[in-house]
Amino acid sequence: MAAVDLAQNTLDGLMIGSSYALLAIGFTLIFGVMRRLNLAYGPTIMAGVYLGTAAFISFGAPILVILAIVVIGAAVVGLYVERLCFRPFGEAARTASMVASFALWMQIEEAAMHLLPRHMNPFPPLLSAPPLQIGPLLLRADHLVMLAATLLIAGAVTYFLARTRFGLAIRAVIDQPRAAAIVGIHVQRVMMLTFVLASAVGGLAGFLIAATDAQVTAMIGMWATTKGLVAMMLGGLGSVKGAIAGGLLLGVLEAHAQWFLGPQVRDMVAWGLLFVLLAFWPGGLMGSKALDRTMAVGRRV
Amino acid sequence: MLDVQDIVTSYGKIEALKGVTLNAAEGRITCLLGPNGAGKTTLMYSVAGVLKPRRGTIKLAGDDITGQSPAAIVARGLALVPENRLVFPQMSVAENLDAGAYQRRDSAEVAVDIERMYTRFPRLKERRAQLAGTLSGGEQQMLAVARALMSRPRILLMDEPSLGLAPLIVEEIFRIVGELNKDGVTIFLVEQNVHMALKVAHHFYLMEQGRVTFSGEPGKLAEDEVIQRAYLGTSREKR
Amino acid sequence: MDGYLITILSNIGMVSFVALSAYILLLSGQISFGQQAYFGIGAYVAGIATVMWQWPLAGALLFGSLAAGAAAGLVGLATLRLSGIYFAMATLAFAEIMRIAAELFVYRRDIGGIESGPDGVDGFRDIRYFFANEFSPLETCLIVYALLATVLAILCIIERTRAGRMLRQIGEDPLLAEVHGINVMSVRMIAALAAGAVAGLGGGLYAHLMTYVEPKSFDIMLGVHALAYGLIGGLGTAFGPILGVLIDIGLLESTRIFHGYRMIVFGGLVAVLLIVRPRGLLDEVAVSRIRRALRRRRDAGD
Ligand SMILES: Nc1ncnc2c1ncn2[C@@H]1O[C@H](COP(=O)(O)OP(=O)(O)O)[C@@H](O)[C@H]1O
Ligand SMILES: [Mg+2]
């Protein structure tokens, strides 16, 4: 009995966690190149999802069109955030960047409320296949699609970073921005494109989340910022792999906590784990010596 | 080759370069000496486009490059081996070399050049898959030089390549500097190691407190006088 | 004065405490996303003291403030070694834990025939001290401002002492400060204690002025707003955060000029303002310029 619950919770957690992992990947990319926190990341995703929802409600747009709107919308809003909150500031004005991104958070949320004033709005479901039965375990088909999409995107991002010329440039900027400039990489352009890429990945995450819920609430911006942040921190702030691990861990943890302790305690457990990790083991899950530099950067932010 | 005219660069209100004029002739080794804080690194970064001069002009092979982006300057054939090496610590040796060739599109030729670097720096070949951050100081310096060469520069700027290295490795670095120069690369070198610098340089400058205070060929000034000025500065005595 | 104006003024006053709390830590170079936790602790503790234990207001406010300061000290033990994003996230984690704890916290008693006390998600209602003791809104507002003025005065005095300069030195460059023989950890600890106590005092006032406090009252929005106020108003003086609050609540929210579009206007305004002045309107440069002008006028007057 309990074993089945544990297994089922773990499965559910991995599914939900895959969306956290996507959020954390975007966050990690932005943090990596900017060394600054983008609090408007969640609201950027919200903007994309709300535009897609509006298209769905107003014109009944088909799901692939909505997907495109969400991703492009998030990328464009991401560009706007980069322009206003990050581009104008040097690394020295980190706090200013962060507070400016918070200001845009407020702005984007209010604009979204004007677009769709209701707290809850319908979103087209990903698919309406019945759940799969594997022995005693139940698996929602759309959750499986979400997990598969996450793995695909994570794989694509990893490949892109490791094997392409532009991926090399991103890693160089993350690793040693001054040296990146010296070898002839356009650091500002790399930062901007990474920002847009990360926002698009966030848009994908937002789409998958909204489509598996078949609805969107006004909380999605705040939700994405906090979940993405926690997953990124749990993963140790250093790498795409860490972000994925952090996201999945957060999902599994929440699923168990929800089942055994209820929804309120669920959120507390995630924050509690983060607090304990930071206070006693600040390297995070992927903590290692190789991360010392990232840590040093994180400390200064 | 490199022509610096009356450059002023400042950090906030503090002027680190107060009108520097100097010249690195094509095919030769020009050396810049001076005490800590003289502004040598600031000059290197100003030439490479990382810092923007407030005044003055910088010409590379006759073309004005003042205020251009570092990327544009690399494209014109200038490469910098920065102070403290600044390798990409979390990337492998091979990836560091790839990054050095970032602007080049001729991937076959790049592969050939990488092999050339491995021949010139055998230690790098042994450690090609290792993360650059785990290399020793001397190996990192070799890597920084190799990375700079990967852009096939006409002029190579080197900022204190011997800093913190053991004497044997310093010898090797200077041997490489000489070889590169024989291969036709113009070299503009900042050094603290006056003895070695004067041995390789065709021409040298002394710099103090943001100004060039002496220009001449090695031998024009007794070595210990150069050392005196380069390490201690002269202005202190004058005041 | 009409009721609306007094309410707005009281709001400005209360939020100012949290803004000052975040400001104290900003000076020490730490970004806290979690000062709202101490606001909440102060609110609950002071409320419990007057409602459940029938304490007088002064004692309750003091106790709430001390409790918040003590909590800040404990959190500081675990987090002050951290900095940058690690500190910010640790403080946020603590604040969220406290908020959720408040959602779970039920402590109901029969007080004078009515069941009172914190009631989980519904919060802590009927904190009726001001009402029961027949304070007018104007009087309560005056209490808020008297306390705010006291805190401000203390901060301004401290900023001109050696301790205040040490705090700024640490904020600018902790390593250099350490080299200069400043004990960075203890100064930061004192700053954290003070910041917690100030936020707690604001929370205690809030609970009594609003007559209720709920977990939502101290969510992440309050914390990040508090941080933003310092950066908008300026980090050069303790009046900076107050100016930030005035601009947001005083100018935009209360005048209702941009009703429904306030955040769109405010958000854009703040982003653009920070580009021009990354350390706020009253930054160090502006403050020293104002000080010099004042001194000159005083000298001329003599
Ligand atoms: N990032 C910086 N910010 C402010 N001042 C700097 C910075 N870098 C260097 N300086 C100052 O500029 C002057 C020249 O420094 P630098 O160019 O590094 O000298 P050198 O390389 O000759 O030792 C020094 O007085 C130094 O303190
Ligand atoms: Mg130097």
Side-chain angles (χ1 to χ4, degrees):
Chain A
M1 198 41 207
V4 173
D5 289 345
L6 277 177
Q8 181 71 52
N9 289 337
T10 307
L11 261 181
D12 292 347
L14 285 175
M15 304 295 155
I16 299 295
S18 66
S19 65
Y20 297 164
L22 275 184
L23 294 171
I25 289 174
F27 246 122
T28 303
L29 283 176
I30 293 178
F31 185 79
V33 293
M34 296 289 181
R35 278 93 197 278
R36 285 167 275 168
L37 215 48
N38 176 19
L39 290 176
Y41 185 58
T44 302
I45 295 167
M46 176 188 196
V49 172
Y50 261 54
L51 286 171
T53 313
F56 174 65
I57 294 173
S58 313
F59 319 113
I63 193 152
L64 283 179
V65 174
I66 293 173
L67 171 63
I69 293 176
V70 172
V71 172
I72 295 170
V76 170
V77 175
L79 186 62
Y80 168 72
V81 174
E82 194 262 351
R83 273 293 149 107
L84 234 59
C85 305
F86 291 86
R87 169 84 55 105
F89 302 105
E91 240 194 274
R94 293 181 189 88
T95 325
S97 266
M98 200 174 68
V99 170
S101 71
F102 173 67
L104 288 200
W105 171 351
M106 299 289 102
Q107 190 186 40
I108 294 168
E109 281 212 337
E110 190 161 72
M113 288 303 110
H114 281 287
L115 186 65
L116 299 172
R118 286 164 47 198
H119 181 74
M120 194 179 283
N121 291 286
F123 199 87
L126 202 51
L127 33 109
S128 40
L132 308 177
Q133 181 96 34
I134 307 171
L137 302 176
L138 273 183
L139 259 182
R140 272 176 59 180
D142 51 358
H143 274 173
L144 262 183
V145 172
M146 179 155 82
L147 181 66
T150 301
L151 294 178
L152 204 70
I153 294 163
V157 170
T158 309
Y159 176 86
F160 174 74
L161 285 177
R163 301 268 165 226
T164 67
R165 182 165 174 273
F166 191 67
L168 181 74
I170 294 179
R171 284 188 297 138
V173 171
I174 291 176
D175 215 10
Q176 174 52 263
R178 173 154 279 188
I182 287 169
V183 299
I185 293 169
H186 294 274
V187 175
Q188 288 242 316
R189 197 183 301 163
V190 169
M191 285 180 169
M192 181 191 77
L193 289 173
T194 309
F195 212 98
V196 172
L197 173 79
S199 301
V201 170
L204 266 172
F207 171 84
L208 289 170
I209 290 152
T212 43
D213 286 352
Q215 66 181 30
V216 193
T217 76
M219 298 307 292
I220 188 169
M222 162 90 111
W223 178 87
T225 290
T226 47
K227 295 297 179 195
L229 260 178
V230 174
M232 171 174 83
M233 299 302 297
L234 287 179
L237 198 62
S239 64
V240 171
K241 273 187 215 125
I244 296 168
L248 295 180
L249 173 80
L250 180 61
V252 171
L253 196 76
E254 284 193 355
H256 286 296
Q258 165 129 14
W259 179 261
F260 293 108
L261 304 166
Q264 279 164 328
V265 180
R266 175 195 72 191
D267 291 336
M268 191 135 101
V269 166
W271 289 111
L273 176 72
L274 180 63
F275 185 83
V276 170
L277 262 182
L278 286 173
F280 302 105
W281 192 24
L285 278 185
M286 293 282 138
S288 75
K289 254 191 272 171
L291 278 173
D292 276 358
R293 230 189 76 77
T294 333
M295 290 273 303
V297 169
R299 260 180 249 127
R300 276 191 281 112
V301 170
Chain B
M1 183 64 144
L2 177 68
D3 209 354
V4 176
Q5 277 290 336
D6 200 25
I7 281 293
V8 175
T9 303
S10 36
Y11 299 100
K13 281 188 181 147
I14 306 155
E15 282 188 355
L17 300 181
K18 302 166 182 150
V20 171
T21 300
L22 47 74
N23 177 301
E26 177 149 16
R28 318 198 85 192
I29 300 177
T30 307
C31 206
L32 178 63
L33 306 170
N36 265 329
K40 306 180 297 293
T41 300
T42 307
L43 177 68
M44 294 302 236
Y45 279 138
S46 302
V47 171
V50 175
L51 295 174
K52 302 283 172 239
R54 185 171 286 184
R55 218 179 62 204
T57 52
I58 303 170
K59 284 187 179 163
L60 186 63
D63 300 330
D64 192 344
I65 56 162
T66 324
Q68 289 192 358
S69 72
I73 292 171
V74 171
R76 285 171 175 277
L78 182 144
L80 169 66
V81 181
E83 185 178 48
N84 296 322
R85 323 186 232 291
L86 304 191
V87 296
F88 297 109
Q90 304 223 41
M91 288 169 29
S92 70
V93 167
E95 285 174 333
N96 268 267
L97 295 179
D98 280 338
Y102 181 73
Q103 294 208 344
R104 292 173 56 184
R105 299 285 186 166
D106 47 342
S107 41
E109 282 288 294
V110 169
V112 173
D113 277 3
I114 288 185
E115 283 312 317
R116 262 190 215 136
M117 292 306 149
Y118 288 151
T119 320
R120 181 164 257 154
F121 306 101
R123 297 282 285 170
L124 296 184
K125 183 169 193 175
E126 284 167 35
R127 302 179 183 268
R128 62 206 299 173
Q130 198 171 319
L131 292 188
T134 64
L135 299 179
S136 73
E139 289 161 353
Q140 288 193 8
Q141 189 63 59
M142 302 294 171
L143 179 57
V145 174
R147 182 182 68 186
L149 291 174
M150 283 306 296
S151 68
R152 290 197 166 172
R154 291 187 287 172
I155 176 167
L156 185 67
L157 272 54
M158 303 175 84
D159 194 347
E160 300 206 29
S162 68
L163 191 73
L165 299 183
L168 269 178
I169 298 173
V170 174
E171 295 255 353
E172 191 175 347
I173 300 255
F174 275 93
R175 186 179 54 72
I176 291 162
V177 168
E179 277 177 26
L180 289 173
N181 182 245
K182 284 207 187 75
D183 292 351
V185 183
T186 306
I187 297 205
F188 183 41
L189 177 73
V190 163
E191 253 312 323
Q192 290 270 357
N193 189 328
V194 174
H195 177 67
M196 295 298 292
L198 292 186
K199 246 169 51 182
V200 295
H202 300 109
H203 192 98
F204 76 98
Y205 291 92
L206 279 180
M207 191 174 180
E208 284 169 49
Q209 302 192 350
R211 292 198 171 84
V212 171
T213 53
F214 182 86
S215 158
E217 261 105 72
K220 275 238 175 108
L221 217 56
E223 189 175 316
D224 45 354
E225 170 135 11
V226 177
I227 291 179
Q228 168 88 12
R229 291 204 197 177
Y231 284 135
L232 306 169
T234 47
S235 30
R236 223 166 305 179
E237 296 152 43
K238 281 183 203 152
R239 252 187 282 139
Chain C
M1 277 208 276
D2 66 78
Y4 179 63
L5 183 61
I6 290 173
T7 315
I8 290 289
L9 281 177
S10 304
N11 266 335
I12 291 175
M14 290 182 300
V15 174
S16 293
F17 284 95
V18 200
L20 282 176
S21 172
Y23 165 79
I24 295 172
L25 284 174
L26 273 176
L27 283 193
S28 79
Q30 300 272 47
I31 300 166
S32 167
F33 281 163
Q35 295 311 106
Q36 68 273 26
Y38 311 114
F39 182 86
I41 292 172
Y44 270 77
V45 170
I48 288 172
T50 58
V51 174
M52 323 285 283
W53 308 334
Q54 319 267 295
W55 284 23
L57 182 69
L61 289 179
L62 181 67
F63 188 55
S65 173
L66 288 179
L74 287 178
V75 174
L77 285 180
T79 59
L80 279 178
R81 299 179 290 110
L82 304 170
S83 46
I85 189 179
Y86 296 93
F87 182 78
M89 288 306 294
T91 48
L92 175 60
F94 174 74
E96 284 295 287
I97 292 170
M98 289 318 286
R99 184 180 62 76
I100 299 166
E103 285 181 356
L104 301 169
F105 180 46
V106 179
Y107 171 43
R108 305 286 283 172
R109 281 276 174 76
D110 198 315
I111 308 285
I114 322 163
E115 200 179 68
S116 318
D119 192 11
V121 185
D122 289 336
F124 185 179
R125 299 195 177 265
D126 297 320
I127 304 173
R128 297 157 62 88
Y129 184 92
F130 282 135
F131 187 74
N133 291 283
E134 295 179 345
F135 281 78
S136 74
L138 183 61
E139 281 166 324
T140 57
C141 184
L142 285 178
I143 292 177
V144 171
Y145 277 89
L147 287 171
L148 182 62
T150 313
V151 170
L152 256 178
I154 294 173
L155 277 178
C156 284
I157 291 168
I158 289 178
E159 280 204 34
R160 285 160 165 268
T161 64
R162 216 174 83 80
R165 282 194 297 274
M166 284 198 312
L167 195 63
R168 274 188 193 276
Q169 237 177 309
I170 291 173
E172 270 161 33
D173 192 339
L175 288 178
L176 191 68
E178 194 94 60
V179 171
H180 286 176
I182 298 174
N183 188 335
V184 173
M185 273 304 132
S186 26
V187 175
R188 281 197 166 151
M189 184 48 126
I190 293 167
L193 288 170
V198 168
L201 183 58
L205 286 168
Y206 177 90
H208 288 88
L209 251 74
M210 308 298 286
T211 72
Y212 71 88
V213 53
E214 50 191 3
K216 266 205 303 252
S217 317
F218 51 99
D219 63 7
I220 175 177
M221 282 297 155
L222 177 62
V224 190
H225 268 109
L227 203 59
Y229 289 141
L231 260 105
I232 298 164
L235 299 179
T237 158
F239 289 98
I242 312 280
L243 177 65
V245 179
L246 272 174
I247 292 173
D248 180 31
I249 302 184
L251 214 64
L252 294 174
E253 180 175 346
S254 53
T255 57
R256 302 195 167 157
I257 313 173
F258 300 112
H259 189 62
Y261 293 87
R262 167 182 158 222
M263 278 307 171
I264 294 181
V265 175
F266 180 65
L269 217 60
V270 169
V272 172
L273 169 78
L274 285 172
I275 294 174
V276 188
R277 297 185 83 93
R279 283 180 76 81
L281 285 170
L282 294 173
D283 59 9
E284 285 82 349
V285 179
V287 168
S288 80
R289 206 170 288 155
I290 291 169
R291 284 218 181 104
R292 244 178 292 138
L294 286 179
R295 208 171 305 137
R296 223 175 297 131
R297 263 184 61 187
R298 202 174 41 207
D299 293 346
D302 281 346

